[in-house]
Amino acid sequence: MSILRFTTSCAALSVAALVATACGGEDPAAGAPDHASAASAADLEVPAPEATVTTPTPAMVMDDDGTAELCLGAVAESYPPQCGGPELIGWDWEEQDSGSYEEEQGTRWGEYAVVGDYDPQEGTFELESAVPAGEWDGEPPEQQMSFSTPCEEPEGGWEILDQELVSEQRMYDTFERAEELEGYAGSWVDQSLNPVQPEDLNDDEDMGDQEHQELAASLNDPEYVIINVRVSADPETAYGTLREEWGGMLCVTEAQYQQAELEQIQQEIMEIDGALSAGVEATTNQLTVEVTYDDGSLESQLHEIYGEGTLRLSSRLVPAEDQ
C-alpha cells in the first residue's frame, strides 16, 4: 500500500476555507496543554470489521502496476491521479464497463462503490461487488460544517461601525491579528448576509466570463462579511483588540480548546493505524477525524484520552447491512 502526503497552501484558499481549518505555521505544540503522547495514541486498539463492509460513497480504484488499490484517503489531482489504499483482491478491469474508468500512461482508475471484506492487518479488501459511480444511486453524507455566527444579532441588526476600517486588506489583517491573540482557537467568515450566494454563480448558463468573475468577487465583499473569532481567553479583551483593526461586523466567542492544543492532538492522531485525515474545525472547536474503519470503539478510546467532544470521527468503510 503506497502512502502519499498532501499539503495545501493557505494562500490559495478562499476566505471561508482559509480560516475554518488550521493550516500549520508555528509549532502546534507551543503553549498547548499536555495530553496523551503520540505513542499512546498510536498503540490504541484499532477495530477490525466482523462482517462485510462498503464505501458509503464511491471511492477511487487505482491500478498503476498491475495491482488494484482501493483509495480511501486523499487523491492527488494530477493526471493520472495518485492515491493509495488497501490492495483490492478479486478486482478485474475486464469485468467493468470501459466507460467507467480512464487509462493513461499505464494507469487505470475509476470511482466505484464497493462491497467486500476488509482486513486491516493484511491491508487488503476482498471484493464482492462494485457499482460504478455513474450507476450509483445512493445519497452522499450531509455537509455538517456550518459557517453561521454564534453571536446573537445586535439590537437593530448587524451593521458596519467604521466604514474606514472595512476593506479586503483590513479583513486579512484582522485574521492575522486574531492569530496573535491569547488563546486563539480559530476564525472564519459568515457570508449569510451577502445578497450574492455561491449557487448564484450557476444560475445563468449564458453569463459571460467577466460577469461571472465580478459576481464571484462579490462573494467576499467585506461589507457583508461577519468575521468570527474564537479564543479560550477573555473574549471581551479579544474583541477590543480586533476593533482596532476591523470596523465591520464582528463576533468573538469563547472556546474550550485553543488551536495549538487541537493541532498537537491532530499530529498524535495521525499516528494511529488507519488514520486518513484530521483537521481543526474552528466553527465547532474540535477535530474532525476520518479513519479507514471504526465500529465506534476507536472513537470511544480517543474520547477517553482527549475528552468527550474534542473530536468527531467518521469511518470511510461502514457495515454493508446499514446501507
Side-chain angles (χ1 to χ4, degrees):
M1 179 173 62
S2 58
I3 299 176
L4 299 176
R5 295 187 180 275
F6 298 82
T7 58
T8 303
S9 170
C10 288
L13 299 177
S14 67
V15 174
L18 169 67
V19 294
T21 303
C23 293
E26 299 180 358
D27 180 3
D34 290 334
H35 268 298
S37 67
S40 65
D43 293 339
L44 290 176
E45 184 177 346
V46 179
E50 298 179 354
T52 303
V53 293
T54 184
T55 52
T57 57
M60 181 78 74
V61 174
M62 173 76 66
D63 181 352
D64 60 4
D65 62 359
T67 301
E69 292 179 282
L70 179 61
C71 302
L72 300 174
V75 177
E77 295 182 356
S78 54
Y79 192 82
Q82 302 176 65
C83 62
E87 179 182 348
L88 196 51
I89 298 176
W91 183 265
D92 187 348
W93 291 105
E94 299 301 322
E95 296 180 357
Q96 305 301 324
D97 188 307
S98 60
S100 67
Y101 61 86
E102 298 182 64
E103 186 170 6
E104 181 71 24
Q105 302 176 22
T107 298
R108 288 181 178 179
W109 71 95
E111 293 190 347
Y112 304 84
V114 299
V115 176
D117 295 318
Y118 171 61
D119 186 337
Q121 297 298 324
E122 297 295 328
T124 59
F125 188 99
E126 189 169 354
L127 183 71
E128 287 191 7
S129 63
V131 176
E135 301 176 14
W136 183 70
D137 60 0
E139 291 291 334
E142 294 184 6
Q143 176 59 262
Q144 297 186 6
M145 184 180 292
S146 170
F147 293 102
S148 61
T149 297
C151 295
E152 292 186 9
E153 182 175 340
E155 185 176 351
W158 288 100
E159 59 183 14
I160 293 174
L161 299 186
D162 187 341
Q163 188 69 52
E164 293 184 359
L165 297 181
V166 177
S167 67
E168 187 172 336
Q169 185 58 52
R170 281 284 183 178
M171 183 165 56
Y172 281 99
D173 290 345
T174 301
F175 288 130
E176 290 184 0
R177 187 76 173 270
E179 292 176 2
E180 300 171 355
L181 293 170
E182 180 184 358
Y184 175 72
S187 52
W188 72 96
V189 294
D190 177 358
Q191 303 189 52
S192 60
L193 300 182
N194 195 323
V196 179
Q197 294 297 308
E199 55 267 23
D200 295 334
L201 297 176
N202 303 319
D203 282 350
D204 190 349
E205 296 180 357
D206 298 326
M207 187 185 303
D209 290 343
Q210 183 174 353
E211 186 180 0
H212 187 276
Q213 291 175 5
E214 292 176 352
L215 192 63
S218 66
L219 286 174
N220 288 330
D221 188 335
E223 294 199 4
Y224 295 108
V225 160
I226 305 175
I227 290 182
N228 283 266
V229 177
R230 287 192 187 275
V231 292
S232 62
D234 179 21
E236 291 187 8
T237 300
Y239 182 89
T241 300
L242 296 178
R243 273 298 176 210
E244 299 173 2
E245 201 75 50
W246 178 247
M249 296 172 280
L250 175 66
C251 170
V252 181
T253 52
E254 189 173 1
Q256 182 174 0
Y257 307 103
Q258 59 180 295
Q259 181 170 292
E261 180 180 6
L262 292 177
E263 287 177 345
Q264 175 182 316
I265 298 172
Q266 176 186 12
Q267 289 192 349
E268 296 174 4
I269 284 179
M270 288 307 297
E271 298 296 323
I272 299 173
D273 288 340
L276 300 175
S277 66
V280 178
E281 189 173 287
T283 57
T284 59
N285 191 222
Q286 63 181 179
L287 284 175
T288 56
V289 181
E290 186 175 55
V291 298
T292 302
Y293 175 78
D294 181 37
D295 57 6
S297 61
L298 179 58
E299 185 173 31
S300 295
Q301 294 176 73
L302 290 172
H303 283 163
E304 288 182 5
I305 294 175
Y306 299 113
E308 195 77 28
T310 308
L311 58 89
R312 185 175 70 250
L313 187 145
S314 62
S315 178
R316 195 65 183 91
L317 295 174
V318 298
E321 63 182 8
D322 294 343
Q323 299 299 300

